[in-house]
Amino acid sequence: ALNPKSWQGYLNLGKLLASQGKLPEAERALSQEVAIRPNDAEGQYELGLVLGRESKSKEALAHVGRATELRPDNAEMLATLGYLWGENGRPKEAYDAFRQSLEIDPKNARAIEGAKMLVNAVAEMKRAATTRSTTTRSTPAIPTRPTSGPAK
């Protein structure tokens, strides 16, 4: 049985392990925190970030999505949600998340960059669809999270 008083320890341990690149261990600690406190937006978000770094994009989307349900006023969480929707091939949902993030914080650099990348990718897909060429064209990628590390 989990000790309900230990949630903060699991959260802090998970964040520390993630900062050290010990992602499987961080995932375990943060999963414990979320099991104790499923309505903790910070725990859900941190677990989502770790899962994203582990290339578990669908699982990451579920946890970051839950975090934004709990904290719909958090522009950074919404920007991260936009990138995860993009990684999961859902451009409309990505756009909506970036738009919501920018409504809260019009200067959010991650949301601005994600929205620009999304608009460019959609425009390129439309051009590719209307171009009847004999050359093979690759479909542009929907924006993914920057590789420089998770946002805090």
Side-chain angles (χ1 to χ4, degrees):
L2 298 173
N3 178 354
K5 295 179 182 178
S6 63
W7 69 269
Q8 187 71 52
Y10 285 123
L11 179 63
N12 291 339
L13 178 62
K15 290 166 77 172
L16 175 66
L17 291 166
S19 73
Q20 296 172 345
K22 298 176 181 177
L23 301 180
E25 296 88 348
E27 180 184 346
R28 280 193 293 278
L30 292 166
S31 292
Q32 292 290 330
E33 193 275 344
V34 167
I36 294 168
R37 295 188 60 202
N39 292 327
D40 177 40
E42 183 181 9
Q44 292 282 356
Y45 183 69
E46 293 294 333
L47 179 56
L49 291 177
V50 167
L51 291 166
R53 288 175 61 193
E54 291 181 300
S55 299
K56 297 178 180 178
S57 190
K58 286 187 173 140
E59 291 176 61
L61 179 61
H63 288 283
V64 173
R66 179 68 181 133
T68 62
E69 290 171 9
L70 296 164
R71 294 273 316 277
D73 60 338
N74 188 302
E76 198 59 34
M77 288 180 182
L78 285 162
T80 300
L81 183 65
Y83 282 103
L84 289 168
W85 276 124
E87 284 182 13
N88 282 280
R90 305 285 295 270
K92 182 191 178 316
E93 290 84 352
Y95 173 80
D96 289 343
F98 290 135
R99 181 185 49 75
Q100 290 172 21
S101 176
L102 291 169
E103 286 174 0
I104 295 164
D105 178 7
K107 295 181 181 180
N108 185 300
R110 291 184 65 243
I112 291 169
E113 184 61 28
K116 285 180 183 176
M117 289 170 52
L118 181 63
V119 167
N120 290 338
V122 169
E124 182 59 30
M125 284 189 270
K126 285 181 180 179
R127 279 193 296 277
T130 59
T131 302
R132 302 291 182 232
S133 168
T134 57
T135 61
T136 305
R137 305 183 113 214
S138 62
T139 304
I142 293 176
T144 59
R145 286 172 285 112
T147 56
S148 61
K152 302 249 172 168

